[in-house]
């Protein structure tokens, strides 16, 4: 198919598809002439993938590039799949101050989570510090209940990694990024349900 | 304090604080002369709030404006607090196609959640449809386990709403927005923990 058909098949403007090609996020088509190229179903799939990572997942271009590299690299073990996907998704953000980072590390150690070398300890420290700065009163006990919720979600994530090593990294990268907005929507819906039902009404604010 | 001190107290460039003032997100200071104004602690607090909503929460300017309006309006009941906060946080995004929306409504009805008039049904439908389009195989059973996780998180949210009606909407708006990145980080950390421990290894991929 030509560029216009590729754009139509993926529901994107031609300019966006050209941008993906120029940035090397989508491989070039087979050249038909100096100005025309032929694209196939693999291009459609790759454009959709880039779109999902950027538009739904909100990933930066650098993160999309790392995610695509990881997806193209098969990993034989489940732990390898998780590590590769997580490294790809971790933004290279500046480290947070020592105290916030150490508090996050201590929380995770007390919980007994195996998270050695995990790039998201810094993200947790930053996000937790932002809550504290805003006066939300998010102490270790409340964070522990959020961790209970996260563990249930993670068990679903890990349980749905396919056997096929080629598809596994893709599944974890996409699942991690695309399920975030699903969980965010479910949490907001559940807030209303909990507030309206006995479970929420019976619990007095602390 | 002057503009420069306000910027320093909030850790933001003067240009950003001026932008917040120009956009009406922060009320004007007390005019000292035609070009100078005096700011106080309430301005520091408001600038920090806007910063948290935009930088950590990733809210659009329109959503920040709605959130600030909601925060300034005291709500006497817990259900009122939740509804006001949720309306403020719901982006006025275009509605999704009928089938995806109906599937989400059916899922929520089967679960027995009280979500009448909740603006996040559309967000759930969109996010779920994006997962399906990406071939993640997110069926009702898996979504149900994510909903279990969301319900635990929501119970923590609702349980920590303060009695003070003035502060309650602020707590829910900020808590909803700022805890999203905390939950995202915890989920990624838990993925590694679950994959490395017996709980993950013992469960074969389906």
């Amino acid at each position: 198919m030509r560029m216009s058909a590729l754009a139509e098949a993926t529901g994107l403007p031609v300019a966006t598809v050209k941008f993906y090609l120029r940035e090397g996020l989508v491989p070039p088509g087979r050249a038909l002439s100096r100005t025309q190229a032929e694209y196939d179903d693999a291009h459609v799939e790759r454009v959709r993938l880039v779109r999902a990572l950027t538009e739904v997942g909100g990933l930066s271009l650098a993160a999309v590039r790392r995610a695509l590299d990881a997806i193209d690299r098969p990993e034989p073990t489940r732990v390898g799949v998780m590590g590769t996907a997580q490294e790809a998704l971790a933004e290279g953000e500046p480290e947070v101050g020592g105290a916030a980072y150490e508090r996050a590390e201590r929380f995770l150690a007390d919980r007994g989570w195996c998270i050695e070398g995990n790039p998201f300890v810094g993200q947790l420290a930053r996000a937790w510090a932002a809550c504290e700065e805003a006066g939300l009163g998010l102490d270790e006990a409340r964070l522990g209940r959020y961790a209970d919720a996260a563990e249930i979600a993670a068990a679903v994530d890990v349980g749905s990694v396919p056997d096929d090593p080629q598809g596994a990294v893709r599944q974890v990268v996409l699942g991690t990024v695309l399920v975030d907005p699903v969980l965010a929507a479910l949490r907001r819906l559940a807030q209303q349900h909990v507030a309206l039902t006995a479970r929420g009404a019976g619990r007095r604010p602390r």
Side-chain angles (χ1 to χ4, degrees), chain A:
Chain A
M1 71 190 79
R2 298 301 169 79
M3 165 66 74
S4 58
L6 176 60
E8 202 178 324
T10 55
L12 284 172
V14 168
T16 306
V17 177
K18 282 189 175 166
F19 173 75
Y20 290 173
L21 282 160
R22 210 162 53 231
E23 290 289 329
L25 303 174
V26 173
R30 192 170 55 85
L32 295 177
S33 71
R34 253 195 38 181
T35 56
Q36 290 210 310
E38 173 77 11
Y39 302 92
D40 59 24
D41 288 346
H43 289 95
V44 173
E45 216 258 313
R46 177 56 64 117
V47 169
R48 284 202 183 125
L49 180 59
V50 173
R51 184 189 186 178
L53 292 171
T54 51
E55 290 188 11
V56 187
L59 260 59
S60 67
L61 277 191
V64 170
R65 221 168 255 129
R66 283 198 307 274
L68 293 174
D69 282 348
I71 286 172
D72 292 338
R73 189 172 34 171
E75 282 290 344
T77 68
R78 177 176 289 183
V79 173
V81 165
M82 281 290 154
T84 301
Q86 295 208 325
E87 270 164 42
L89 291 173
E91 293 281 349
E93 284 172 61
E95 276 310 313
V96 281
Y101 193 91
E102 278 165 28
R103 189 180 180 195
E105 273 191 322
R106 208 161 44 239
F107 169 82
L108 296 164
D110 287 349
R111 202 175 165 88
W113 276 6
C114 316
I115 45 86
E116 216 179 273
N118 192 297
F120 291 103
V121 180
Q123 187 184 312
L124 174 63
R126 266 190 305 277
W128 192 4
C131 290
E132 288 292 64
E133 225 172 273
L136 287 186
L138 178 54
D139 60 9
E140 270 78 1
R142 247 181 87 197
L143 192 65
R145 302 223 48 221
Y146 285 133
D148 294 343
E151 211 166 322
I152 291 175
V156 187
D157 297 335
V158 174
S160 50
V161 175
D163 260 328
D164 153 37
Q166 198 79 43
V169 176
R170 179 183 183 281
Q171 169 88 19
V172 176
V173 166
L174 273 175
T176 301
V177 164
L178 298 187
V179 169
D180 274 342
V182 171
L183 284 167
L186 286 171
R187 180 172 157 234
R188 286 152 176 74
L189 290 160
Q191 282 178 349
Q192 179 171 341
H193 169 67
V194 173
L196 280 172
T197 53
R199 191 168 167 197
R203 172 170 316 176
R204 293 306 306 151
R206 273 162 299 186

